Amino acid sequence: MATFVLIPGMCHGGWCFQDLVEDLRGHGHRALPLTLSGVSERAHLLRGGVNLDTHIQDVTGVLEAGDVRDAVLAGHSYGGMVMTGVADRLPGRVAALAYLDAFVPEDGDSCWTLASEQERQWYADVEETGYATRPLPFFDPRATPHPVASLLQPLRLTGGLASVRRRVYVYADRDVRSAFTSTYERLREDPSWTVHALDSGHNLMRDVPRELLGILLDAAGPGGPGTPPAAGGW
C-alpha cells in the first residue's frame, strides 16, 4: 500500500481530486486530498500572512502528524511549488514526486517569476482585501480566491530533493503552447525524469482520469518508490 498526498492548484481544494481519490483507494492505496490554508473549506484562514511557506507547512504537518513515509506527492499546477518545498524539507518521508501540469521550481523561483505576462495579470486581480487573487470565471463554482502572497514568495531549497527516488511529469498537451510547455520540453530530455504527454486540457483529473490513475499507480509500483534515482541532477 502506498500513500498518495494530493495537492491542488490555485483556488481549488482537495475536492478537485475526489474521483482520483476513490480510484486510488479502490486499488488498496491510502489517498490524502489536501486543501491549503486560505482556500475552499479553509478560506476562513485567509489573511495577509498566508504565503508559500504556510502551504508547505500545511503539507509537512500532515506527513509528520500521520507519520507518513515513502509518500507519493502529486501536485497540480501551483501545487508543484508546494510539493517541491515539502520534499526539500522532509526528504526522508517522500519517495516520489508527480507533477501534474505543474510548476517545477528551483531555488529562488516563485510563481510570479515563472509565470507569463498574462498569468501575472491574473495574479494581480486581487479581491478587495488585497489578500487573494480571484478565481478565473471558467473555474469550478467551488473555486475560491487564492492567497496572493503564496504566488509572490520565492521558494528556498536546501538540497533535500536529491534523495527523492522518482520524479514524474505529466504534461497536458491539448493546448498548442501553455505555461508548462517549456518545463515539459526541458524535462523530457532529462534521464532522471519520467515524462508523459496526455491529450488533455490543464485539468488532467477531469479530462483523462484513467490515464492519470495509471501513471500514479506506476509511480508507486515496480520501478517507483524504493527504486534508486536515475543518473542526473534535480
Side-chain angles (χ1 to χ4, degrees):
M1 181 183 73
T3 298
F4 292 87
V5 179
L6 308 173
I7 305 167
M10 280 180 62
C11 305
H12 289 65
W15 49 263
C16 71
F17 294 110
Q18 180 177 347
D19 293 340
L20 184 59
V21 166
E22 293 176 0
D23 288 338
L24 288 169
R25 291 173 178 170
H27 280 78
H29 297 293
R30 184 184 184 194
L32 305 176
L34 305 188
T35 295
L36 303 172
S37 292
V39 186
S40 193
E41 73 269 21
R42 306 188 74 201
H44 62 286
L45 299 177
L46 179 62
R47 61 185 188 281
V50 175
N51 57 20
L52 179 57
D53 280 342
T54 309
H55 289 164
I56 292 170
Q57 290 166 4
D58 286 339
V59 183
T60 58
V62 169
L63 297 183
E64 291 177 322
D67 195 25
V68 176
R69 299 181 186 275
D70 290 330
V72 179
L73 303 187
H76 180 238
S77 197
Y78 164 77
M81 300 291 299
V82 179
M83 62 189 266
T84 302
V86 172
D88 181 69
R89 287 157 176 73
L90 297 179
R93 295 183 181 271
V94 179
L97 296 171
Y99 292 82
L100 313 181
D101 213 38
F103 289 112
V104 181
E106 297 182 353
D107 182 51
D109 285 338
S110 68
C111 279
W112 182 267
T113 62
L114 295 174
S116 67
E117 184 59 34
Q118 182 179 13
E119 288 167 321
R120 290 176 183 172
Q121 292 177 12
W122 169 35
Y123 296 170
D125 180 23
V126 298
E127 61 174 4
E128 288 74 11
T129 63
Y131 293 165
T133 295
R134 293 183 177 90
L136 291 171
F138 55 83
F139 280 3
D140 187 287
R142 291 170 289 182
T144 58
H146 185 93
V148 69
S150 71
L151 309 176
L152 303 178
Q153 184 184 21
L155 178 65
R156 295 303 176 191
L157 301 175
T158 62
L161 289 166
S163 68
V164 176
R165 298 193 289 273
R166 189 167 192 189
R167 306 156 194 168
V168 177
Y169 196 86
V170 187
Y171 174 62
D173 71 355
R174 187 169 294 170
D175 296 329
V176 175
R177 191 168 186 88
S178 77
F180 305 109
T181 302
S182 60
T183 300
Y184 162 68
E185 292 173 344
R186 171 173 58 89
L187 296 181
R188 68 179 176 178
E189 303 300 326
D190 188 334
S192 66
W193 286 77
T194 300
V195 177
H196 304 267
L198 299 181
D199 180 16
S200 172
H202 183 52
N203 191 338
L204 294 153
M205 296 83 72
R206 178 194 62 203
D207 293 352
V208 285
R210 180 173 296 181
E211 293 90 338
L212 184 57
L213 174 66
I215 290 169
L216 291 180
L217 291 175
D218 183 64
T227 300
W234 173 254

